[in-house]
Amino acid sequence: MIEYLCSMLKNKQDIRLLNADELKTQVLAMGEAAYRSKQLDEWIWTRRAVSFEEMSNLPRAFRQKLNEQFSFSPVVIDLEQKSIDGTVKVRFLLPGHLKVEGVLIPAKDRVTACISSQVGCSLSCRFCATGQMGLNRQLTVAEIFDQVWLLQEKAKEYFDTPLSNIVFMGMGEPLLNFSNVLTAIEKIHLEKGLNIGMKRITLSTSGLVKGILKLAAMKVKFKLALSLHASTDEVRNRLMPINESNPIEEVMQALETFYKETGNRVSFEYILLKGINDTDMDARRLAVLAKRLPAKINLISYNPVEGLTYQKPDEGKIDRFMHVLVEQGAAVTLRQSRGGDIDAACGQLANK
Ligand code: SF4
């Protein structure tokens, strides 16, 4: 912390804000050979060095020069909570005393890390705790990368296994922090570093048509999930204001393009809210939408959020909804809600 404050006082630039080309330019400007930038890049993104001191294969004089000009602002964990069901929620501390949250979700054959892409969120989904906070700022590439790195360490510590999956379902809309999220995914995927396969990474979006089409054009290899939560524009407009400018039909067409271009199956997240989106008609309309792609539906029973009046449907209603979806030929899984006792469940992250 002292080192960090000193670097702020000296107005040093965070070296992890530079992209590969910028890093090379800086290295050349310091009179060093171009290959040094590759070594530096490797230290930063495959070993997550957080000081120049530890970069043992760089000449001492070069490390000193780097240290005079640049700094590191690593994310640290400042709070950990473990749920009775094994879910672990961590709070990450960022420069400027900002905080975001991440969750580790253990299952029989996997440990999934749920990470954040923004500090807060501007989209104000009515049922979501993060949506009530507003947007503070975008997370940097390094801040997204650090969350995965630190959760990897926690997965080994708590469950004695590395991470198997990453989902961008924490705080924020990843497609509104497009380039940082995509660059971070490349770093998370690096073979010599975290080495997490693209098929084990899922980006979840509230349905931004332009962003989905951009992913399709780039033929990305990771998976995509849509937070759908309603089967009509009328209900979705009420739950998710973003639907007014990105209506369901346009989102569906963008997803069809995504599927055509990437071959990646999409999943729909659907939070069941009592009396709002839980009728047989909703289930039938949802099945029609899912079968167009085809998409797998993940049903989630609502997790209460302090200050919001939404409720989860009773068990019979949830079973009935599932039954109608199956009857209509949709692929559906009922996701067990995890970490509700520590506010780590879907839609509950709010830096409490
Ligand atoms: S559900 Fe996602 S997109 Fe909507 S407000 Fe919450 S974090 Fe933002």
Side-chain angles (χ1 to χ4, degrees):
M1 183 58 90
I2 289 171
E3 209 175 297
Y4 172 63
L5 287 173
C6 289
S7 72
M8 293 295 283
L9 287 172
K10 286 184 199 156
N11 233 350
K12 294 189 203 173
Q13 189 183 9
D14 182 349
I15 194 152
R16 297 194 302 170
L17 289 176
L18 302 182
N19 64 33
D21 288 341
E22 290 164 341
L23 196 62
K24 191 169 167 190
T25 306
Q26 291 293 335
V27 166
L28 294 176
M30 287 176 167
E32 296 290 332
Y35 77 94
R36 293 286 185 209
S37 70
K38 278 212 171 117
Q39 288 178 307
L40 198 48
D41 191 89
E42 222 176 274
W43 275 106
I44 294 172
W45 299 113
T46 63
R47 305 196 209 188
R48 194 185 173 248
V50 289
S51 76
F52 297 110
E53 197 47 45
E54 58 196 285
M55 300 181 179
S56 51
N57 60 352
L58 300 184
R60 185 165 290 279
F62 179 39
R63 279 186 271 158
Q64 265 167 9
K65 271 193 266 175
L66 286 167
N67 198 38
E68 279 159 23
Q69 217 170 311
F70 297 103
S71 63
F72 288 88
S73 318
V75 171
V76 292
I77 292 177
D78 83 330
L79 190 70
E80 288 173 40
Q81 287 171 283
K82 191 164 184 191
S83 158
I84 43 172
D85 65 24
T87 301
V88 175
K89 180 167 88 169
V90 301
R91 191 170 69 187
F92 298 108
L93 183 63
L94 316 173
H97 297 286
L98 295 173
K99 289 156 190 157
V100 291
E101 292 176 337
V103 185
L104 272 182
I105 309 147
K108 207 164 51 183
D109 55 348
R110 60 173 65 182
V111 178
T112 301
C114 175
I115 59 165
S116 296
S117 54
Q118 299 181 302
V119 186
C121 184
S122 60
L123 297 188
S124 308
C125 299
R126 304 289 183 234
F127 50 83
C128 169
T130 311
Q132 316 309 307
M133 296 168 59
L135 177 68
N136 191 306
R137 72 164 167 83
Q138 308 288 9
L139 289 179
T140 65
V141 173
E143 287 165 346
I144 298 167
F145 174 83
D146 277 1
Q147 291 177 69
V148 180
W149 190 282
L150 295 170
L151 286 174
Q152 170 89 302
E153 286 176 354
K154 289 290 152 198
K156 289 178 189 160
E157 182 186 319
Y158 279 99
F159 310 112
D160 201 22
T161 176
L163 290 175
S164 31
N165 296 75
I166 309 290
V167 292
F168 281 83
M169 292 186 187
M171 302 168 95
E173 163 55 62
L175 295 184
L176 287 180
N177 188 11
F178 195 94
S179 72
N180 285 353
V181 166
L182 264 81
T183 309
I185 288 176
E186 280 169 29
K187 312 282 189 205
I188 292 163
H189 176 61
L190 282 177
E191 200 184 331
K192 282 192 196 161
L194 285 162
N195 190 22
I196 296 180
M198 284 292 181
K199 293 279 179 247
R200 298 193 284 137
I201 299 172
T202 303
L203 184 153
S204 176
T205 176
S206 57
L208 301 175
V209 171
K210 276 191 193 151
I212 295 169
L213 291 175
K214 225 163 136 184
L215 295 178
M218 292 167 76
K219 297 190 191 298
V220 296
K221 300 267 191 303
F222 53 79
K223 296 205 255 174
L224 188 63
L226 170 71
S227 295
L228 183 57
H229 311 318
S231 63
T232 65
D233 282 324
E234 192 260 317
V235 175
R236 199 163 191 264
N237 285 346
R238 274 196 278 137
L239 293 175
M240 304 175 74
I242 192 65
N243 192 71
E244 284 167 25
S245 49
N246 293 259
I248 292 175
E249 182 52 34
E250 286 181 30
V251 175
M252 285 301 300
Q253 287 177 19
L255 291 177
E256 281 167 344
T257 306
F258 178 86
Y259 180 58
K260 199 171 112 218
E261 295 297 326
T262 65
N264 294 349
R265 265 186 87 172
V266 173
S267 54
F268 287 172
E269 310 296 312
Y270 194 96
I271 295 180
L272 279 168
L273 300 160
K274 185 176 182 175
I276 293 181
N277 63 1
D278 59 351
T279 64
D280 286 5
M281 268 312 287
D282 284 309
R284 283 195 201 100
R285 282 188 295 253
L286 177 57
V288 170
L289 292 174
K291 286 194 295 180
R292 263 174 73 173
L293 281 163
K296 186 182 150 224
I297 301 163
N298 289 318
L299 273 190
I300 307 149
S301 176
Y302 180 67
N303 302 296
V305 171
E306 209 177 285
L308 302 183
T309 53
Y310 296 107
Q311 291 173 2
K312 67 175 186 179
D314 58 44
E315 294 302 320
K317 194 85 180 169
I318 297 171
D319 288 348
R320 170 82 198 157
F321 200 89
M322 277 282 287
H323 174 77
V324 175
L325 283 172
V326 172
E327 203 178 57
Q328 298 295 312
V332 56
T333 308
L334 179 62
R335 280 233 228 110
Q336 294 306 319
S337 185
R338 306 287 301 269
D341 57 320
I342 54 167
D343 287 336
C346 218
Q348 289 186 320
L349 301 183
N351 287 342
K352 274 208 274 176

